[in-house]
Amino acid sequence: MLDKNGYLSTYFQIDAPKRKFKRLQQSHELYSMGHYIEAGVAYYESTGSQKALEIAEKMAGCINSNFGPEDGKIHGYDGHPEIELALAKLYETTKNRTYLNLAKYFITERGQDLKFFDRQNEADGIDNDFFAELRTIGDRYYFADKPITEQKDAHGHAVRVLYFCTGLAHVARIEHDKKLLKAADTIWDDIVKKQLYVTGNVGQTVTGEAFTYDYDLPNDTDYGETCASVSMAFFTKQMLANKLAGKFGDVIEKEIFNGALSGIALDGKHYFYANPLEADPVASKLNPGKKHIALRRSSWFACACCPANITRLIASLDQYLYEIHDNTILSHQFIANDAKFSDGIEIHQQGNFPWDGNISYQISNPNRSKFSFGIRIPAWSLDKFILKVNDKVVNTKLNDDILYVPIDKSVTSISLVLNMAARLVRANTNVNADIGKVAIQRGPIVYCAEGVDNSQPLWRYILGEAPSFKYTYEPQLLDGVGTLTTDDAYCLEGDPEEALYTFDKPKGAQKAHLTLIPYYAWANRDEKQMTVWIRQNGI
């Protein structure tokens, strides 16, 4: 129940009322309150009811009365960011600048006072921990080792970083703050160019559920928490709102169809915390360093953030289809929909994406408004695509991987044909885990091999120098998926009687057939090996 002053965090209200806001490094108070504020905003936007929104505003008022630069308030910040993005959302809904100012305070205060957590812990009783390991793990883990304008890379707990950066990018845009915008760009670029898995997963290590360092992308120990992939979509959505650029839509697409989607089973009732790019049930059972790699999704978790996060992303996909800037409507995700905009404008998008690359738009513009309609051309199709406007081929120059079509007629028909050929993806040569290997991608979908379809162990497979793939849509498999198969593969021979090491004797190999399924659909059948990256001859 909400306190009269707007405080709401049941543990502290019932079990520890004297410790409210006393141990922010570990308490998750502002994290939990931020989630409720987000829920209040979402409920209001969905139903028009202000009941939950009023509670959210009371909670924000409570936080504002306790935090800020003024005398008598706490000059500090949360251990687990979330409140920043929640307050930014609350401001956009209510236009109450108090919430925006408080969000900006938390963002700019972080990393300013490196003794803040220590002083709070000492005052609260140094050993009176909620989570003892979080007291000694260091400010770098909290992304609080320096002010955000001085940060150069993503490090520490992945979800903390990405929730923080979601609020950072949002506040920076509203405030037109160039320093904060540059900080958001810096962190986003570091992640995407140096710490992002081909599937969109982020956060490489189970130790602290954290980012590690640039180009460190191990496949078989990757943590890739579902919450982190969802949070990366949140962050990138705010970056796209700052600037219309295809690269942002590419990352959102990568999460929607791969990294985040892997976190939920096809039945919609089971979930992954960790999303590796290589798995082996024997290793998960017998290697302590790989016990976090599950081969079966769970129905729930003691810490149940991932189920709620992936389901709320799926439930809010309508917010990820278009972005509006001034007189421009950008279509950046190809998901069939009917959308209504101001001035009577309606857009009807059709297609069978991601299995089919044929996208069509019917734009109804009864008042003949003049605006620009942008269409993102995905990075995987930049080499080949066809755009037609009212059945005429248009050769429009790309601007940040976006095609812009001027609209002024009452009805406009647009068709887009994307390149759906299977592509071989190679990692930067600084990524030692993927040297000599390729990943296979068709359209937005990253594929993987599973032991259910192929002989094990999967690491014996080697693709030919120029493999060709056959695409087949199989409606009865995994609730309907497109599979890729190739006969341009080899499988190294294995002999259990052979010595562990041999001298100067090459390994034999036989021609092999290899079947690949979408990465998001793995681990929905038997518990078998899985791999995204496969060795290739001739690299």
Side-chain angles (χ1 to χ4, degrees):
M1 181 178 292
L2 192 74
D3 282 352
K4 290 182 179 180
N5 67 356
Y7 183 93
L8 179 59
S9 184
T10 53
Y11 171 80
F12 291 92
Q13 290 171 296
I14 298 170
D15 293 334
K18 294 183 179 180
R19 299 183 69 187
K20 295 175 182 176
F21 300 139
K22 300 292 187 182
R23 209 176 189 90
L24 292 165
Q25 183 192 54
Q26 303 170 27
S27 69
H28 287 69
E29 289 165 277
L30 295 180
Y31 169 86
S32 299
M33 294 174 81
H35 275 300
Y36 183 90
I37 290 171
E38 279 199 89
V41 170
Y43 186 76
Y44 170 72
E45 291 177 345
S46 299
T47 68
S49 171
Q50 294 195 7
K51 183 181 296 185
L53 185 64
E54 289 174 358
I55 295 173
E57 288 202 76
K58 289 179 180 179
M59 293 171 72
C62 171
I63 297 168
N64 185 62
S65 67
N66 281 276
F67 293 87
E70 299 86 358
D71 290 343
K73 292 186 177 182
I74 300 170
H75 301 163
Y77 40 88
D78 47 333
H80 196 313
E82 211 286 340
I83 192 62
E84 301 83 354
L85 72 93
L87 288 169
K89 285 186 176 182
L90 187 60
Y91 164 74
E92 289 224 297
T93 298
T94 65
K95 302 305 177 186
N96 185 332
R97 192 168 179 86
T98 298
Y99 310 141
L100 179 62
N101 292 340
L102 185 56
K104 189 171 184 179
Y105 171 77
F106 282 129
I107 287 166
T108 55
E109 182 68 15
R110 193 172 201 84
Q112 297 286 354
D113 180 0
L114 299 186
K115 297 296 183 182
F116 170 66
F117 286 148
D118 291 340
R119 287 198 304 274
Q120 272 214 325
N121 292 342
E122 290 173 6
D124 188 49
I126 195 65
D127 295 322
N128 198 19
D129 294 302
F130 298 119
F131 306 99
E133 66 277 10
L134 294 183
R135 175 162 47 86
T136 58
I137 202 166
D139 288 319
R140 184 176 171 84
Y141 171 81
Y142 294 96
F143 202 53
D145 51 320
K146 60 183 70 172
I148 184 56
T149 53
E150 298 176 19
Q151 297 283 10
K152 301 301 180 187
D153 66 322
H155 53 264
H157 186 269
V159 179
R160 282 174 164 86
V161 173
L162 293 169
Y163 275 162
F164 177 83
C165 288
T166 300
L168 164 69
H170 197 161
V171 170
R173 180 180 75 257
I174 297 170
E175 289 284 77
H176 305 288
D177 190 312
K178 293 182 178 180
K179 289 184 178 180
L180 294 184
L181 282 171
K182 183 179 179 181
D185 283 335
T186 297
I187 301 304
W188 192 89
D189 282 347
D190 174 70
I191 295 171
V192 172
K193 294 177 179 179
K194 299 176 181 178
Q195 297 199 70
L196 183 76
Y197 282 91
V198 69
T199 53
N201 302 118
V202 285
Q204 301 98 312
T205 178
V206 64
T207 304
E209 304 174 321
F211 288 104
T212 54
Y213 56 92
D214 292 348
Y215 302 114
D216 177 42
L217 294 166
N219 297 305
D220 59 344
T221 57
D222 168 33
Y223 196 64
E225 184 182 349
T226 299
C227 273
S229 293
V230 172
S231 302
M232 189 65 191
F234 294 165
F235 179 21
T236 305
K237 184 179 187 297
Q238 291 301 327
M239 296 298 291
L240 180 61
N242 288 335
K243 178 184 178 181
L244 300 186
K247 64 182 181 180
F248 299 126
D250 286 346
V251 170
I252 292 172
E253 179 184 79
K254 190 180 289 289
E255 301 297 359
I256 289 174
F257 290 104
N258 302 284
L261 194 56
S262 170
I264 187 169
L266 297 178
D267 66 5
K269 300 177 181 178
H270 296 82
Y271 309 91
F272 270 151
Y273 233 95
N275 296 271
L277 276 72
E278 181 180 322
D280 180 354
V282 176
S284 294
K285 181 179 180 180
L286 300 178
N287 184 340
K290 297 181 181 179
K291 283 192 177 295
H292 63 287
I293 304 298
L295 278 294
R296 181 75 66 191
R297 293 173 180 83
S298 299
S299 58
W300 204 245
F301 303 98
C303 180
C305 51
C306 291
N309 244 354
I310 182 58
T311 50
R312 74 162 167 160
L313 175 65
I314 293 172
S316 62
L317 277 181
D318 62 301
Q319 300 174 28
Y320 288 80
L321 303 179
Y322 300 96
E323 195 64 44
I324 301 173
H325 267 207
D326 301 325
N327 203 38
T328 297
I329 298 174
L330 170 64
S331 170
H332 61 89
Q333 300 303 319
F334 306 113
I335 299 173
N337 68 87
D338 293 312
K340 295 182 179 181
F341 301 85
S342 61
D343 207 14
I345 297 168
E346 295 186 14
I347 298 176
H348 178 59
Q349 182 186 155
Q350 287 184 300
N352 189 32
F353 196 79
W355 314 120
D356 189 314
N358 299 307
I359 315 296
S360 68
Y361 300 90
Q362 190 79 5
I363 301 176
S364 175
N365 181 24
N367 297 320
R368 302 196 68 166
S369 302
K370 293 184 179 181
F371 66 96
S372 180
F373 184 62
I375 304 173
R376 174 183 63 93
I377 304 301
W380 46 264
S381 191
L382 285 171
D383 62 336
K384 185 179 179 182
F385 61 89
I386 300 172
L387 179 75
K388 291 182 179 180
V389 179
N390 295 326
D391 294 324
K392 293 182 179 179
V393 175
V394 175
N395 296 312
T396 304
K397 184 179 180 181
L398 287 165
N399 183 352
D400 280 332
D401 299 340
I402 297 171
L403 288 173
Y404 290 96
V405 178
I407 305 294
D408 57 11
K409 294 181 173 58
S410 58
V411 177
T412 303
S413 297
I414 299 175
S415 66
L416 174 67
V417 180
L418 298 171
N419 181 10
M420 299 299 286
R423 317 296 294 265
L424 298 182
V425 183
R426 293 180 176 85
N428 186 299
T429 53
N430 287 314
V431 182
N432 65 5
D434 300 328
I435 290 293
K437 297 180 179 181
V438 293
I440 296 89
Q441 181 171 334
R442 181 183 181 272
I445 301 290
V446 175
Y447 279 74
C448 69
E450 262 197 311
V452 178
D453 308 301
N454 306 282
S455 297
Q456 298 183 130
L458 296 176
W459 55 76
R460 288 182 183 169
Y461 284 93
I462 301 173
L463 288 170
E465 293 185 20
S468 61
F469 295 90
K470 178 184 177 182
Y471 171 77
T472 305
Y473 183 75
E474 300 190 42
Q476 303 305 316
L477 178 65
L478 295 165
D479 290 352
V481 295
T483 62
L484 293 175
T485 57
T486 182
D487 291 317
D488 296 330
Y490 302 86
C491 188
L492 292 173
E493 296 174 350
D495 182 357
E497 301 302 321
E498 185 179 34
L500 184 59
Y501 303 103
T502 57
F503 296 96
D504 304 322
K505 181 182 178 182
K507 302 295 181 184
Q510 295 182 346
K511 287 283 287 183
H513 179 84
L514 189 63
T515 297
L516 305 171
I517 65 165
Y519 170 74
Y520 77 80
W522 86 278
N524 277 280
R525 297 175 289 176
D526 292 339
E527 296 185 25
K528 301 284 188 177
Q529 292 177 353
M530 180 278 293
T531 187
V532 168
W533 292 91
I534 302 170
R535 289 179 175 81
Q536 185 191 22
N537 273 336
I539 293 183

